[in-house]
Amino acid sequence: MKTIQFETPARQENASMMHESVNHLDLSLGISSSNDACNYKNAPKTAKRMISFQTEPVDASPAYKKCVSVSSRMAFDYSYLFSHCPTGFVDPWSLAARQQKAAAEQAHLKANPNPTSSKIAMEPQQAPVVVGWPPIRSSRKSLINQNLTKSCTIDGKDSTLKSEKLAETKDAAIRLELRPTLYVKVNMEGFSVGRKIDLSAHNSYESLSRALQNMFCNFLSNKLISKDAHANANNSEFILLYEDYEGDKILVGDVPWELFLKSVKRLYITRHSSAQEKAGDGIKDSQKEEANHLTDCSN
Amino acid sequence: MKVQSAMFYFPEEVIEHIFSFLTHHPDRNTVSTVCKAWYKIERLSRCEVFVGNCYAIRPDRAAARFPGLRSLTLKGKPHFADFDLVPPDWGGLAGPWIEAMARSCPNLEELRMKRMVVSDESLELLVHAFPNFKALVLVSCEGFSTDGLAAVARSCKSLRELDLQENEIEDRGPRWLNSFPDMCTSLVSLNFACLKGEVNLKSLERLVCRSPNLKCLRLNRAVPVETLAKIMNQCPNLEDLGTGSLLADQFSEAYVSLISALQKCKKLRSLSGFWDASPLCLLAVYPICANLTGLNLSYAPTVQGQDFINLIQHCVKLLRLWVLDSVGDKGLAVVASACKELQELRVFPSDLFAAGPATVTEEGLVAISTGCPKLNSLLYFCHSMTNSALITVSKNCPNFTRFRLCILEPRKPDPATNEPLDEGFGAVVKTCKNLRRFSISGLLTDQVFYYIGKYAKALEMLSIAFAGDTDQGMTYVLNGCKNLRKLEIRDCPFGDGALLADVTKYETMRSLWMSSCDISLRGCKALATKMPSLNVEIINEWEAEMEENLNNGVAEVISNNNNKHINNGNDERKVEKLYVYRTVGGPRTDAPDFVWTL
């Protein structure tokens, strides 16, 4: 079956051209992807964050510098950005750039297939990256995503090998364009400004933890946390909590990932010691007394 | 002469009485234009108002004109907002309308809104300002949470209808159901199927127990079979049921009680929900199928194959069927043989990529058209379609009023002949004289628009995507479709020539949407200059983000002087999204930064 490209030729051209510079913009575009976790370290901070946290970009990439200088120019001349099919500079924050990034990610995935997708023997399907197509509401789209995830994880009665492989490519493609997003606020203790992270871009606690570490290592550049991922995993300085729809703060990691996604509303990163203090408030008085009693006894 | 002037001697009460027989909005609108006296009588006696575009008139003016208003219907965002083509914060705010009504129309009882942004505060105001408030229907709305629902539940003394369809509701917990006061017994219709979170099951049971008039109840996915069974036992007069999650074990008490409960509901005519439906729970539904007129399985991907066939065979009186394409051509063939009275069919995609073995094709549609000649409303998603199939379908079913076909792959030709689908869609407009709503897809040239312009005289709404070759296509439609009210176009090569071909036409229409087409700023400016009675709005999303980033990062403040950007010189720039609508309210005051009114 002949696969037909959906993107207009101009856009596709730009997708490949923009691939390199787009990588630098991972962080600024806020699209977290477990495949590209390493890019977070190299990603420049955007102008917004630069002012908020009063830190200098240590290794601002040329792409970023160009962005800032162009943006000050943009204050007076928006002609570049108006064009529907730009052949020149594309504003990194534009909708078109995000679409191109999605296309670039798709191309990236195909270029570097992970082991599971290499099993796919059938003709690779070009995932459509057309915004708003097909014309179905987001409530129905999320139903389709759920359905496909189920067919991936459960050995259903009707699933043949082919449909499983289909589902794997779809899963990857869906993440890029069609998945519903689940942005939650992340607040780190001691900082009034928080971040937002898209939970549906992750499929496990490890992936989330890595993304959060990369996201917040900038906050603590002058403190204890290093950029080394391994050190962070063992570092017990900080713990991750989440707030569910009832308003309770709960330690992340107890429930299966899917269940976690359903109930999480916000995330908090707090220091281990102060969390213990706060935990103390939650304990019932009798238990507290009992704990004190035991301590007294041992003394 | 004498006869005409005789009308003026009728006392106002008589004329008012005569007007009370006019319920159709267009008739009432016409009557109000006859003379000042009739205008005054009509406006004071008007009970229902329908506003198809909330920006077509200022809320204050509408409220002041109809002080006796009891029922208001409002529509906000353009239709393509359903598919994420309209940026968030575009507008469609319900707040100004509710405030205006609160000031001038104390008798308001019903409010129906579609694609509007409603806040919790507005909902609070709504229930406090109108003592007789009875019915709230929100379709595809957003901006509110379960706290707002709690306010509605708590304060409405005689709430009859709370209908939430496909809204984006922020979940702040299940406590809102508790807010219905104990003396609230007036509920007739409750639909919270779109709520994603948990609900308080005990409160739900108690609420149903004390609502003897309940006719329509649609639950959300969080309601298990046990609760459903209990509820069904309490209301045997239910006519419209939306189930919760239909997952149950064969030997569980819940399953057994569900079967007996369903059998008692002799009046049940419409079923929906069916989330996670196990084949077993479907068995429970068989006894009531024979009386069903409406069935919605479009949220139930688990209902397919033989399960679906077994179920649908019994539904001989079915008028309305919504399914997923996983039922396949085979399933549709069974529908065609069993449901002879079918009038409306919607087939939604369950799989957006390759056509698997169990999705629908043109064969399924042809089978339906052969078996169900009364079909008048169709929404069909498929992976491919042929001209001959469309021609056959239109011959079999000449009564289509709504025909929407979406071929999932843009610009896909007829696979049998590799030709465009012009002839197929042309056949539909030629034979279906009453066609009011039309959506087309696949590979299409200007020819299909020639047919539409020539034959689709009753057409009111047309949706086009990835179609056409030149400006002539759009011109055919604008010139030919006399009753056209809404035209929405995306990704078509129509430019300024088409846009400006007949500018006065837009005054006869409610709205025009064009996105990713070939129009330039110059063309839009020309339109705005020639037609001051239209709002010509351009949407630029990057503009807003850029301004936001700059405002935070760089020290200079970008003044929100849109004129500076619009008149920046280069009018040849392409416009990404255009929304044009007629209005008597002037340019809107709540337009966000990224919306420019020319």
Side-chain angles (χ1 to χ4, degrees):
Chain A
M1 185 164 71
K2 193 171 135 194
T3 52
I4 299 177
Q5 312 288 63
F6 300 115
E7 298 166 288
T8 58
R11 275 191 186 150
Q12 257 209 309
E13 220 180 303
N14 284 328
S16 47
M17 268 165 41
M18 286 300 297
H19 183 62
E20 277 185 21
S21 48
V22 153
N23 277 336
H24 293 291
L25 304 170
D26 276 358
L27 187 61
S28 61
L29 291 174
I31 301 174
S32 31
S33 160
S34 46
N35 287 333
D36 292 329
C38 54
N39 284 340
Y40 285 105
K41 291 181 196 165
N42 301 327
K45 305 181 209 32
T46 60
K48 193 197 274 189
R49 289 182 207 106
M50 185 179 151
I51 298 305
S52 309
F53 307 138
Q54 280 117 28
T55 49
E56 285 297 315
V58 174
D59 45 20
S61 68
Y64 163 68
K65 285 186 181 148
K66 188 179 172 194
C67 290
V68 172
S69 61
V70 167
S71 25
S72 42
R73 243 191 324 151
M74 285 305 141
F76 307 103
D77 174 15
Y78 283 83
S79 55
Y80 290 101
L81 307 171
F82 212 117
S83 166
H84 160 60
C85 289
T87 51
F89 175 75
V90 172
D91 184 82
W93 295 280
S94 76
L95 185 66
R98 275 190 259 139
Q99 288 178 351
Q100 286 166 6
K101 177 185 162 58
E105 273 193 12
Q106 173 70 357
H108 181 67
L109 263 175
K110 284 169 94 173
N112 307 324
N114 50 34
T116 46
S117 57
S118 65
K119 276 189 258 163
I120 296 163
M122 44 156 228
E123 195 178 15
Q125 283 276 335
Q126 177 77 15
V129 286
V130 183
V131 176
W133 189 264
I136 54 176
R137 292 177 199 244
S138 40
S139 54
R140 293 196 186 276
K141 273 192 181 153
S142 52
L143 183 79
I144 295 175
N145 294 341
Q146 280 179 23
N147 196 31
L148 285 169
T149 325
K150 275 190 189 154
S151 64
C152 267
T153 52
I154 305 169
D155 284 338
K157 35 189 177 351
D158 287 324
S159 68
T160 61
L161 196 60
K162 189 180 177 191
S163 68
E164 269 181 288
K165 288 173 188 168
L166 262 171
E168 278 163 355
T169 25
K170 284 172 212 165
D171 212 20
I174 282 166
R175 270 181 228 262
L176 296 176
E177 192 60 39
L178 299 170
R179 58 172 165 83
T181 55
L182 187 62
Y183 279 96
V184 294
K185 295 181 192 170
V186 191
N187 282 91
M188 172 158 252
E189 188 188 345
F191 294 89
S192 55
V193 178
R195 296 291 297 270
K196 268 202 157 179
I197 188 168
D198 182 4
L199 292 179
S200 59
H202 299 276
N203 56 4
S204 67
Y205 287 116
E206 289 77 33
S207 152
L208 173 66
S209 158
R210 253 182 288 133
L212 283 175
Q213 281 161 17
N214 285 319
M215 202 183 253
F216 283 91
C217 64
N218 299 323
F219 280 59
L220 305 157
S221 52
N222 54 347
K223 300 219 173 139
L224 298 168
I225 298 284
S226 68
K227 290 189 184 179
D228 183 359
H230 291 298
N232 286 339
N234 298 327
N235 195 329
S236 58
E237 172 81 16
F238 290 90
I239 61 172
L240 186 61
L241 305 175
Y242 76 99
E243 184 181 304
D244 69 358
Y245 64 81
E246 283 180 344
D248 301 322
K249 287 208 177 82
I250 303 165
L251 190 69
V252 165
D254 289 331
V255 295
W257 177 254
E258 287 75 24
L259 197 55
F260 168 68
L261 281 187
K262 276 189 198 164
S263 40
V264 63
K265 292 284 170 243
R266 291 180 73 144
L267 291 173
Y268 294 96
I269 302 177
T270 52
R271 289 174 210 284
H272 196 54
S273 47
S274 59
Q276 274 187 331
E277 274 175 32
K278 284 176 188 163
D281 296 337
I283 296 174
K284 287 179 194 161
D285 286 348
S286 55
Q287 283 180 330
K288 219 183 202 172
E289 282 181 0
E290 200 183 33
N292 288 337
H293 180 66
L294 282 170
T295 340
D296 288 342
C297 284
S298 64
N299 289 346
Chain B
M1 254 323 238
K2 202 99 193 255
V3 173
Q4 279 174 341
S5 56
M7 269 304 268
F8 288 108
Y9 296 124
F10 283 7
E12 278 187 14
E13 293 82 10
V14 174
I15 302 184
E16 198 179 307
H17 183 68
I18 297 172
F19 286 177
S20 68
F21 292 101
L22 293 174
T23 47
H24 199 37
H25 296 122
D27 291 340
R28 290 203 74 121
N29 292 343
T30 314
V31 139
S32 67
T33 59
V34 168
C35 64
K36 280 205 182 121
W38 282 27
Y39 175 87
K40 182 177 153 218
I41 298 168
E42 196 282 320
R43 73 171 254 262
L44 292 175
S45 62
R46 177 96 96 151
C47 295
E48 289 175 27
V49 167
F50 170 81
V51 182
N53 175 3
C54 65
Y55 290 117
I57 183 171
R58 302 250 163 165
D60 286 336
R61 191 164 153 187
R65 179 173 166 186
F66 301 113
L69 200 56
R70 296 226 193 107
S71 164
L72 176 64
T73 307
L74 284 174
K75 291 193 183 178
K77 298 187 197 181
H79 174 229
F80 277 175
D82 285 348
F83 319 129
D84 302 326
L85 284 180
V86 175
D89 305 326
W90 174 85
L93 302 170
W97 282 90
I98 296 177
E99 285 157 28
M101 294 292 139
R103 280 192 289 271
S104 314
C105 311
N107 294 330
L108 194 70
E109 291 177 2
E110 291 179 10
L111 182 60
R112 284 165 224 278
M113 297 199 282
K114 187 166 185 180
R115 280 188 219 106
M116 296 198 68
V117 178
V118 195
S119 64
D120 286 345
E121 290 75 26
S122 296
L123 289 175
E124 284 264 9
L125 175 61
L126 182 67
V127 291
H128 286 115
F130 304 110
N132 291 336
F133 198 73
K134 291 194 174 67
L136 181 64
V137 178
L138 299 176
V139 181
S140 301
C141 296
E142 58 177 359
F144 60 105
S145 73
T146 47
D147 286 350
L149 296 180
V152 172
R154 191 170 38 234
S155 314
C156 255
K157 294 191 186 56
S158 49
L159 190 67
R160 238 183 21 213
E161 189 177 339
L162 180 59
D163 189 356
L164 308 167
Q165 297 176 28
E166 315 244 5
N167 300 295
E168 282 293 321
I169 306 179
E170 193 192 329
D171 184 24
R172 298 229 185 114
R175 286 176 284 260
W176 67 278
L177 258 182
N178 306 356
S179 303
F180 281 99
D182 288 335
M183 28 180 185
C184 169
T185 57
S186 48
L187 218 51
V188 171
S189 170
L190 177 63
N191 173 4
F192 58 92
C194 62
L195 271 182
K196 296 197 191 83
E198 302 294 317
V199 285
N200 190 321
L201 300 174
K202 284 271 170 279
S203 298
L204 177 61
E205 288 169 37
R206 280 200 302 270
L207 178 62
V208 170
C209 279
R210 62 176 188 274
S211 304
N213 300 320
L214 203 60
K215 289 213 178 76
C216 166
L217 179 64
R218 295 193 184 184
L219 311 170
N220 75 347
R221 197 172 185 174
V223 178
V225 176
E226 295 82 7
T227 312
L228 178 64
K230 283 186 204 161
I231 288 174
M232 302 299 297
N233 277 320
Q234 288 298 323
C235 33
N237 290 331
L238 214 56
E239 292 173 13
D240 184 331
L241 173 68
T243 71
S245 172
L246 272 190
L247 209 53
D249 279 329
Q250 182 170 12
F251 302 109
S252 71
E253 206 184 305
Y255 178 66
V256 171
S257 62
L258 179 66
I259 295 185
S260 64
L262 277 174
Q263 282 176 336
K264 280 194 232 154
C265 293
K266 303 283 181 216
K267 292 195 186 170
L268 207 51
R269 294 285 172 270
S270 174
L271 274 186
S272 56
F274 290 95
W275 279 292
D276 315 309
S278 58
L280 230 46
C281 283
L282 291 182
L283 287 177
V285 171
Y286 288 3
I288 47 163
C289 281
N291 287 326
L292 281 185
T293 57
L295 183 60
N296 182 352
L297 295 169
S298 62
Y299 285 100
T302 49
V303 180
Q304 48 180 292
Q306 196 58 37
D307 297 325
F308 173 72
I309 290 175
N310 292 342
L311 175 66
I312 206 72
Q313 284 174 345
H314 303 283
C315 304
V316 291
K317 288 196 193 158
L318 210 58
L319 298 177
R320 224 174 42 251
L321 177 64
W322 293 21
V323 286
L324 289 170
D325 65 0
S326 46
V327 303
D329 285 337
K330 221 171 149 205
L332 289 181
V334 177
V335 172
S337 65
C339 312
K340 293 298 182 193
E341 304 294 314
L342 197 67
Q343 292 180 6
E344 178 180 331
L345 175 67
R346 296 197 190 189
V347 180
F348 294 97
S350 61
D351 180 346
L352 300 177
F353 300 95
T359 55
V360 298
T361 68
E362 66 274 7
E363 287 178 22
L365 185 58
V366 171
I368 291 276
S369 70
T370 319
C372 313
K374 294 188 186 176
L375 198 64
N376 59 43
S377 172
L378 179 72
L379 170 61
Y380 199 79
F381 284 86
C382 57
H383 291 273
S384 68
M385 183 55 60
T386 63
N387 280 313
S388 61
L390 283 174
I391 293 170
T392 312
V393 166
S394 56
K395 269 200 210 117
N396 293 339
C397 300
N399 298 321
F400 276 119
T401 53
R402 286 181 283 265
F403 190 96
R404 296 192 278 165
L405 183 71
C406 178
I407 301 169
L408 288 168
E409 195 182 303
R411 298 198 191 92
K412 186 161 183 185
D414 179 340
T417 61
N418 233 20
E419 280 173 8
L421 291 169
D422 300 332
E423 295 307 314
F425 284 108
V428 175
V429 284
K430 273 182 219 166
T431 48
C432 304
K433 305 284 181 214
N434 295 325
L435 195 65
R436 288 199 316 260
R437 185 167 178 183
F438 202 33
S439 297
I440 55 182
S441 56
L443 183 64
L444 296 164
T445 69
D446 286 346
Q447 185 65 19
V448 72
F449 298 114
Y450 169 75
Y451 289 138
I452 293 174
K454 187 164 177 194
Y455 295 110
K457 292 305 176 191
L459 193 63
E460 292 177 2
M461 181 168 175
L462 180 62
S463 308
I464 311 170
F466 304 101
D469 300 320
T470 70
D471 286 352
Q472 190 56 47
M474 184 169 159
T475 311
Y476 283 139
V477 172
L478 291 175
N479 290 341
C481 298
K482 297 297 172 206
N483 285 313
L484 196 63
R485 287 196 290 131
K486 284 185 279 187
L487 181 58
E488 40 187 33
I489 304 172
R490 61 162 295 178
D491 292 275
C492 296
F494 303 138
D496 294 342
L499 182 67
L500 300 171
D502 183 3
V503 290
T504 53
K505 174 79 179 167
Y506 303 126
E507 248 179 355
T508 67
M509 290 165 52
R510 186 189 296 174
S511 65
L512 166 72
W513 169 277
M514 287 180 79
S515 61
S516 305
C517 296
D518 211 21
I519 46 182
S520 73
L521 190 55
R522 174 193 303 280
C524 298
K525 280 187 184 175
L527 178 60
T529 320
K530 286 186 195 172
M531 302 294 297
S533 59
L534 303 175
N535 274 357
V536 178
E537 291 182 7
I538 294 177
I539 296 175
N540 290 309
E541 292 160 273
W542 54 263
E543 183 76 36
E545 294 164 35
M546 184 56 137
E547 284 209 19
E548 192 191 283
N549 287 325
L550 288 174
N551 284 335
N552 289 335
V554 178
E556 16 194 333
V557 173
I558 311 297
S559 75
N560 191 13
N561 186 0
N562 283 335
N563 287 334
K564 187 165 70 171
H565 309 320
I566 295 173
N567 296 323
N568 209 346
N570 189 359
D571 279 356
E572 298 315 314
R573 295 172 276 177
K574 295 295 176 199
V575 166
E576 181 63 26
K577 293 178 185 171
L578 171 73
Y579 186 49
V580 178
Y581 54 91
R582 66 178 176 193
T583 178
V584 294
R588 54 186 181 114
T589 50
D590 61 0
D593 286 344
F594 53 83
V595 174
W596 296 357
T597 308
L598 297 179

